[in-house]
Amino acid sequence: MASGAGTMFFRVIVFSAIVAVCVAQPPPRFNCSSTSKCRSLIDYIPPNATTVQDVMKLFDVKHLLSFLGSNNLPMNISSSFALPAFQKIKIPFNCKCENGIGLSDKRPIYKVQSGNTLDKIAEITFARLVTSLQIAAANGIPDPNKINVGQELWIPLPCSCDDVEGNKVVHYGHLVESGSSVSAIATRFNVSEATILKLNGIADARDLKASQVLDIPLKACSSVIRQDSLDFPFLLPNGTYDYTANNCVLCECDAAKNMILDCKPSQLKPPSQKSSNWSTCPAMPCEGSNLLLGNSTASGCSTTTCAYAGFSKQTIFTNISTLNTCPGPEGGPQDNPNSASRTGSQGLNLVGLVVFMHLLSFGSLLIQ
Ligand SMILES: *[C@@H]1O[C@H](CO)[C@@H](O)[C@H](O)[C@H]1NC(C)=O
Ligand SMILES: *[C@@H]1O[C@H](CO)[C@@H](O)[C@H](O)[C@H]1NC(C)=O
Ligand SMILES: *[C@@H]1O[C@H](CO)[C@@H](O)[C@H](O)[C@H]1NC(C)=O
Ligand SMILES: *[C@@H]1O[C@H](CO)[C@@H](O)[C@H](O)[C@H]1NC(C)=O
Ligand SMILES: *[C@@H]1O[C@H](CO)[C@@H](O)[C@H](O)[C@H]1NC(C)=O
Ligand SMILES: *[C@@H]1O[C@H](CO)[C@@H](O)[C@H](O)[C@H]1NC(C)=O
Ligand SMILES: *[C@@H]1O[C@H](CO)[C@@H](O)[C@H](O)[C@H]1NC(C)=O
Ligand SMILES: *[C@@H]1O[C@H](CO)[C@@H](O)[C@H](O)[C@H]1NC(C)=O
C-alpha cells in the first residue's frame, strides 16, 4: 500500500506538534477588508489518528487534490490515507471579509454529536482554531451551554484576503508550536518578523503563545486572472499546487519562477456535477498564436507564455504574457520577482489576448 511511501512524505512535510496546555488565548481574529473572496489556509492538528477523508469531511474540503496540493503531497495519495494524531496539516478553505474581519465563508458546518459541548468542539475537535464564544456568536447561540445533538454549527475559521505591504499573499493561520519563536516562524515562512508582529498586533515578540493562531502572509504566485473569473484572484503560495477551472487546469507555484503561476491543462475530467456542465475539458489555445496553455517560447531576452487567465461557466480564459528575462538597469525579475508579477513594470509586458473558448465548438473537436 501507499502508506510506507506516504509516511515518508509526511515526515518531510508535517511537523509533530505537541501543543502545550495554555492559559486563555486571544481569540483568533484576522483583519480583512478586501471586497473579493479568496482561498486561505489554516493549520489543523487532529486530536486522534484519522484519515484524509475524515479531515476533509470535518472541514468541508471538496477536492482531494486541493487538500493534497495545499500540503504539497503527491497527487496519487488516496482519500483513505491515514493521518497520525497530533501531526499538523494545512486545510484549504474559502475566506470572506465582513465588517473588517475575515471568516471562512459559511463553512465548515459541524453537526453536534452526543456528549459534545461548545468548549470541546472548539478546543478538541477544531484544535483551538476558534473559541466556543466565536462559535456561539457566529451561530446566534444565546446560551453557549445549550446546544442540541444534531444541531448544525458554522465554524468561523479566521482568515484574510488583504494584500500585505503591497504584496499578493495567501493568508495562512499558523498554529504556534510550543518552543517556537517569532524569528523561527519568520525564517520558516520567508516573512519578516516586523510584518508578523504588525499584522498580528503583537507588541513584543516574547508575548507569543503556544497554540496561538498567527496570521502569516505567504507570498503567492499570481497570474493575469480576470476580475470576472470564477476563481479570481487565484493565488498559490510557494511550494503548493491546485486544480481550478473545474479541475481542467493544474497550477503550481515555485518561488524560483518569478512568483508567476505555472498552469497547464490537467489531463483530468471535469466533475460530473451540476456545478459544471462541461462534459470534457476544452482545448486551451492562446488566440493569435500556436501556443496552448502552459506553452512558452523564448527568443532573445523575452519569453512568451500562454498563461492562465481564469474561467467562466462557459469558457477558460488565456492570455499571452511576455516576460523580459534580461536584467534591466534596476535589476531584472530575478531580483524582484514580486514587482515583476504584480505590476508588469519590471519585465512583464503583457500583450495579452484573452481567448474565449466556447465549449461546444472546441468540445466537438476534442472528442473525435
Ligand atoms: C505515487 O507517485 C510516486 C511518484 O510521484 C511513485 O513513486 C509512487 O509509487 C506512486 N504511488 C502509488 C501508490 O501509485
Ligand atoms: C477522533 O476525533 C474526532 C474529532 O474530534 C472525533 O469525531 C472522533 O470520534 C475521534 N475518533 C476516535 C476513534 O476517537
Ligand atoms: C525570502 O527568501 C528570499 C530568497 O530565499 C530571501 O532573499 C529573502 O531575504 C527572504 N525574506 C525574508 C523576509 O525572509
Ligand atoms: C485591525 O483593524 C482595526 C480597525 O481598523 C485596527 O484598529 C487594528 O489595529 C487592526 N489590527 C491589526 C493587527 O492590524
Ligand atoms: C519555496 O519553497 C521551496 C521548497 O518548497 C524552498 O526551498 C524555497 O526557499 C522557498 N522560497 C521562498 C522564497 O519562500
Ligand atoms: C504545449 O502544451 C501541451 C499541453 O500541456 C503539451 O502537450 C505540449 O508538449 C506543449 N508544447 C510545447 C512545444 O511545449
Ligand atoms: C452550460 O454550457 C452552455 C454552453 O457553453 C452555456 O451556454 C450555459 O450557460 C451553461 N450553463 C451553465 C448552468 O453553466
Ligand atoms: C491580459 O492581461 C493583462 C494584464 O492583466 C491585461 O492588461 C490585458 O488586458 C489582458 N488581455 C486581454 C485581452 O484581456
Side-chain angles (χ1 to χ4, degrees):
M1 267 270 311
S3 70
T7 307
M8 203 179 69
F9 290 124
F10 270 90
R11 270 195 215 115
V12 179
I13 65 109
V14 297
F15 304 84
S16 70
I18 311 300
V19 173
V21 178
C22 55
V23 286
Q25 294 295 320
R29 204 187 135 94
F30 300 172
N31 277 3
C32 182
S33 52
S34 168
T35 50
S36 55
K37 297 182 186 181
C38 66
R39 301 280 279 168
S40 269
L41 293 172
I42 197 159
D43 276 338
Y44 177 60
I45 298 176
N48 54 31
T50 179
T51 59
V52 166
Q53 66 203 0
D54 284 349
V55 171
M56 286 177 60
K57 192 164 168 240
L58 187 64
F59 286 92
D60 276 346
V61 180
K62 295 268 184 298
H63 301 290
L64 173 63
L65 292 165
S66 297
F67 178 88
L68 297 177
S70 300
N71 288 284
N72 205 14
L73 285 167
M75 299 170 192
N76 59 6
I77 281 185
S78 84
S79 62
S80 59
F81 185 78
L83 294 173
F86 303 120
Q87 288 210 342
K88 216 183 242 188
I89 46 170
K90 293 195 186 81
I91 309 289
F93 65 99
N94 292 323
C95 180
K96 191 181 176 195
C97 305
E98 231 165 83
N99 305 320
I101 63 163
L103 295 175
S104 52
D105 191 12
K106 301 298 172 213
R107 284 173 192 283
I109 301 292
Y110 179 78
K111 207 167 181 177
V112 176
Q113 292 162 20
S114 105
N116 281 171
T117 61
L118 275 190
D119 280 340
K120 267 195 195 163
I121 294 168
E123 285 172 24
I124 299 169
T125 311
F126 287 95
R128 295 202 172 100
L129 301 175
V130 288
T131 63
S132 54
L133 289 179
Q134 286 175 316
I135 300 177
N139 292 277
I141 296 172
D143 180 354
N145 295 316
K146 273 202 188 133
I147 52 169
N148 305 313
V149 173
Q151 187 174 351
E152 294 193 333
L153 301 175
W154 163 39
I155 308 297
L157 303 171
C159 58
S160 180
C161 297
D162 293 352
D163 287 359
V164 172
E165 292 159 3
N167 290 315
K168 293 200 182 306
V169 299
V170 171
H171 288 261
Y172 157 51
H174 174 70
L175 258 173
V176 176
E177 291 152 24
S178 104
S180 187
S181 67
V182 175
S183 74
I185 293 167
T187 305
R188 186 157 132 207
F189 300 110
N190 195 242
V191 185
S192 80
E193 282 187 57
T195 302
I196 295 178
L197 295 176
K198 182 160 170 257
L199 198 58
N200 291 278
I202 301 173
D204 185 331
R206 287 168 299 189
D207 294 341
L208 188 73
K209 305 263 183 344
S211 87
Q212 183 171 355
V213 184
L214 282 187
D215 183 357
I216 303 292
L218 301 174
K219 283 194 199 75
C221 288
S222 57
S223 181
V224 287
I225 310 291
R226 291 163 48 131
Q227 294 228 0
D228 60 350
S229 170
L230 292 174
D231 59 358
F232 181 82
F234 201 70
L235 301 168
L236 289 179
N238 179 30
T240 68
Y241 64 87
D242 202 357
Y243 288 79
T244 187
N246 294 320
N247 287 350
C248 289
V249 175
L250 168 62
C251 298
E252 295 175 275
C253 174
D254 175 354
K257 294 182 183 167
N258 297 326
M259 299 310 286
I260 294 171
L261 268 185
D262 187 4
C263 299
K264 60 183 186 212
S266 68
Q267 320 295 350
L268 298 183
K269 287 192 173 68
S272 54
Q273 55 195 26
K274 55 183 184 300
S275 63
S276 131
N277 70 358
W278 301 6
S279 58
T280 177
C281 289
M284 304 167 205
C286 269
E287 205 168 77
S289 75
N290 54 6
L291 303 176
L292 299 175
L293 179 67
N295 288 157
S296 290
T297 55
S299 93
C301 270
S302 66
T303 302
T304 300
T305 302
C306 179
Y308 176 63
F311 76 108
S312 69
K313 277 187 176 172
Q314 288 82 34
T315 67
I316 291 179
F317 307 120
T318 57
N319 186 318
I320 293 190
S321 305
T322 302
L323 180 70
N324 183 347
T325 44
C326 293
E330 268 136 44
Q334 267 76 14
D335 297 318
N336 200 342
N338 288 310
S339 68
S341 65
R342 193 177 66 254
T343 64
S345 62
Q346 287 194 331
L348 188 63
N349 296 307
L350 297 155
V351 273
L353 274 177
V354 165
V355 178
F356 292 75
M357 294 186 313
H358 294 277
L359 282 179
L360 292 180
S361 48
F362 285 106
S364 55
L365 287 176
L366 273 178
I367 299 166
Q368 268 81 38

mmCIF file of all heavy atoms in Angstrom, residues 86-101:
data_model
loop_
_atom_site.group_PDB
_atom_site.id
_atom_site.type_symbol
_atom_site.label_atom_id
_atom_site.label_comp_id
_atom_site.label_asym_id
_atom_site.label_seq_id
_atom_site.Cartn_x
_atom_site.Cartn_y
_atom_site.Cartn_z
ATOM 1 N N PHE A 86 -1.966 14.309 16.172
ATOM 2 C CA PHE A 86 -1.025 15.366 16.593
ATOM 3 C C PHE A 86 0.002 15.734 15.539
ATOM 4 O O PHE A 86 1.075 16.202 15.861
ATOM 5 C CB PHE A 86 -0.310 14.982 17.903
ATOM 6 C CG PHE A 86 -1.262 14.707 19.017
ATOM 7 C CD1 PHE A 86 -1.304 13.471 19.642
ATOM 8 C CD2 PHE A 86 -2.160 15.684 19.427
ATOM 9 C CE1 PHE A 86 -2.208 13.225 20.663
ATOM 10 C CE2 PHE A 86 -3.061 15.447 20.442
ATOM 11 C CZ PHE A 86 -3.083 14.218 21.061
ATOM 12 N N GLN A 87 -0.291 15.473 14.270
ATOM 13 C CA GLN A 87 0.628 15.947 13.241
ATOM 14 C C GLN A 87 -0.087 16.980 12.405
ATOM 15 O O GLN A 87 -1.184 16.762 11.911
ATOM 16 C CB GLN A 87 1.141 14.786 12.387
ATOM 17 C CG GLN A 87 2.113 13.951 13.193
ATOM 18 C CD GLN A 87 3.174 13.297 12.354
ATOM 19 O OE1 GLN A 87 3.034 13.174 11.141
ATOM 20 N NE2 GLN A 87 4.239 12.876 12.979
ATOM 21 N N LYS A 88 0.599 18.108 12.277
ATOM 22 C CA LYS A 88 -0.012 19.265 11.656
ATOM 23 C C LYS A 88 -0.230 19.063 10.169
ATOM 24 O O LYS A 88 0.660 18.585 9.470
ATOM 25 C CB LYS A 88 0.961 20.417 11.853
ATOM 26 C CG LYS A 88 0.311 21.725 12.082
ATOM 27 C CD LYS A 88 1.378 22.772 12.194
ATOM 28 C CE LYS A 88 1.358 23.408 13.545
ATOM 29 N NZ LYS A 88 2.290 24.561 13.576
ATOM 30 N N ILE A 89 -1.419 19.481 9.698
ATOM 31 C CA ILE A 89 -1.675 19.522 8.261
ATOM 32 C C ILE A 89 -2.335 20.850 7.945
ATOM 33 O O ILE A 89 -2.873 21.509 8.834
ATOM 34 C CB ILE A 89 -2.599 18.373 7.803
ATOM 35 C CG1 ILE A 89 -3.766 18.265 8.767
ATOM 36 C CG2 ILE A 89 -1.850 17.069 7.662
ATOM 37 C CD1 ILE A 89 -4.820 17.349 8.289
ATOM 38 N N LYS A 90 -2.291 21.236 6.667
ATOM 39 C CA LYS A 90 -2.904 22.508 6.273
ATOM 40 C C LYS A 90 -4.254 22.245 5.605
ATOM 41 O O LYS A 90 -4.381 21.339 4.779
ATOM 42 C CB LYS A 90 -1.997 23.259 5.311
ATOM 43 C CG LYS A 90 -0.709 23.746 5.938
ATOM 44 C CD LYS A 90 -0.040 24.794 5.046
ATOM 45 C CE LYS A 90 1.305 25.189 5.588
ATOM 46 N NZ LYS A 90 2.371 24.224 5.232
ATOM 47 N N ILE A 91 -5.224 23.060 5.975
ATOM 48 C CA ILE A 91 -6.568 22.931 5.425
ATOM 49 C C ILE A 91 -6.831 24.117 4.495
ATOM 50 O O ILE A 91 -6.697 25.270 4.916
ATOM 51 C CB ILE A 91 -7.624 22.985 6.561
ATOM 52 C CG1 ILE A 91 -7.289 22.006 7.679
ATOM 53 C CG2 ILE A 91 -9.022 22.798 6.012
ATOM 54 C CD1 ILE A 91 -7.458 20.558 7.346
ATOM 55 N N PRO A 92 -7.203 23.861 3.237
ATOM 56 C CA PRO A 92 -7.585 24.974 2.353
ATOM 57 C C PRO A 92 -9.075 25.294 2.526
ATOM 58 O O PRO A 92 -9.880 24.379 2.685
ATOM 59 C CB PRO A 92 -7.321 24.401 0.949
ATOM 60 C CG PRO A 92 -7.525 22.919 1.100
ATOM 61 C CD PRO A 92 -7.202 22.565 2.541
ATOM 62 N N PHE A 93 -9.428 26.561 2.522
ATOM 63 C CA PHE A 93 -10.849 26.925 2.629
ATOM 64 C C PHE A 93 -11.088 28.302 2.019
ATOM 65 O O PHE A 93 -10.158 29.055 1.769
ATOM 66 C CB PHE A 93 -11.334 26.863 4.090
ATOM 67 C CG PHE A 93 -10.687 27.868 5.006
ATOM 68 C CD1 PHE A 93 -11.326 29.056 5.332
ATOM 69 C CD2 PHE A 93 -9.426 27.627 5.546
ATOM 70 C CE1 PHE A 93 -10.736 29.990 6.186
ATOM 71 C CE2 PHE A 93 -8.832 28.559 6.393
ATOM 72 C CZ PHE A 93 -9.485 29.736 6.714
ATOM 73 N N ASN A 94 -12.366 28.602 1.776
ATOM 74 C CA ASN A 94 -12.726 29.890 1.189
ATOM 75 C C ASN A 94 -12.951 30.910 2.289
ATOM 76 O O ASN A 94 -13.569 30.622 3.304
ATOM 77 C CB ASN A 94 -14.006 29.762 0.351
ATOM 78 C CG ASN A 94 -13.778 28.915 -0.880
ATOM 79 O OD1 ASN A 94 -12.703 28.981 -1.491
ATOM 80 N ND2 ASN A 94 -14.755 28.111 -1.235
ATOM 81 N N CYS A 95 -12.435 32.105 2.043
ATOM 82 C CA CYS A 95 -12.477 33.178 3.034
ATOM 83 C C CYS A 95 -13.308 34.339 2.508
ATOM 84 O O CYS A 95 -13.297 34.624 1.308
ATOM 85 C CB CYS A 95 -11.047 33.655 3.278
ATOM 86 S SG CYS A 95 -10.924 34.983 4.491
ATOM 87 N N LYS A 96 -14.002 34.999 3.429
ATOM 88 C CA LYS A 96 -14.790 36.169 3.052
ATOM 89 C C LYS A 96 -14.637 37.246 4.129
ATOM 90 O O LYS A 96 -14.710 36.939 5.320
ATOM 91 C CB LYS A 96 -16.261 35.758 2.940
ATOM 92 C CG LYS A 96 -17.133 36.801 2.321
ATOM 93 C CD LYS A 96 -18.570 36.336 2.262
ATOM 94 C CE LYS A 96 -19.439 37.450 1.722
ATOM 95 N NZ LYS A 96 -20.846 37.194 1.965
ATOM 96 N N CYS A 97 -14.427 38.485 3.689
ATOM 97 C CA CYS A 97 -14.296 39.579 4.659
ATOM 98 C C CYS A 97 -15.675 40.133 4.989
ATOM 99 O O CYS A 97 -16.490 40.332 4.093
ATOM 100 C CB CYS A 97 -13.482 40.731 4.065
ATOM 101 S SG CYS A 97 -11.864 40.269 3.440
ATOM 102 N N GLU A 98 -15.912 40.387 6.259
ATOM 103 C CA GLU A 98 -17.155 41.030 6.658
ATOM 104 C C GLU A 98 -16.903 41.893 7.882
ATOM 105 O O GLU A 98 -16.325 41.406 8.857
ATOM 106 C CB GLU A 98 -18.226 39.973 6.950
ATOM 107 C CG GLU A 98 -19.532 40.252 6.213
ATOM 108 C CD GLU A 98 -20.453 39.041 6.205
ATOM 109 O OE1 GLU A 98 -21.153 38.875 7.191
ATOM 110 O OE2 GLU A 98 -20.425 38.272 5.218
ATOM 111 N N ASN A 99 -17.330 43.133 7.824
ATOM 112 C CA ASN A 99 -17.148 44.059 8.955
ATOM 113 C C ASN A 99 -15.702 44.112 9.433
ATOM 114 O O ASN A 99 -15.446 44.138 10.629
ATOM 115 C CB ASN A 99 -18.073 43.673 10.116
ATOM 116 C CG ASN A 99 -19.531 43.593 9.686
ATOM 117 O OD1 ASN A 99 -19.986 44.434 8.903
ATOM 118 N ND2 ASN A 99 -20.242 42.588 10.151
ATOM 119 N N GLY A 100 -14.782 44.093 8.488
ATOM 120 C CA GLY A 100 -13.378 44.284 8.848
ATOM 121 C C GLY A 100 -12.633 43.047 9.308
ATOM 122 O O GLY A 100 -11.435 43.110 9.564
ATOM 123 N N ILE A 101 -13.338 41.909 9.442
ATOM 124 C CA ILE A 101 -12.608 40.682 9.778
ATOM 125 C C ILE A 101 -12.892 39.594 8.740
ATOM 126 O O ILE A 101 -13.896 39.644 8.026
ATOM 127 C CB ILE A 101 -12.913 40.159 11.209
ATOM 128 C CG1 ILE A 101 -14.377 39.768 11.347
ATOM 129 C CG2 ILE A 101 -12.508 41.152 12.274
ATOM 130 C CD1 ILE A 101 -14.607 38.883 12.552
#
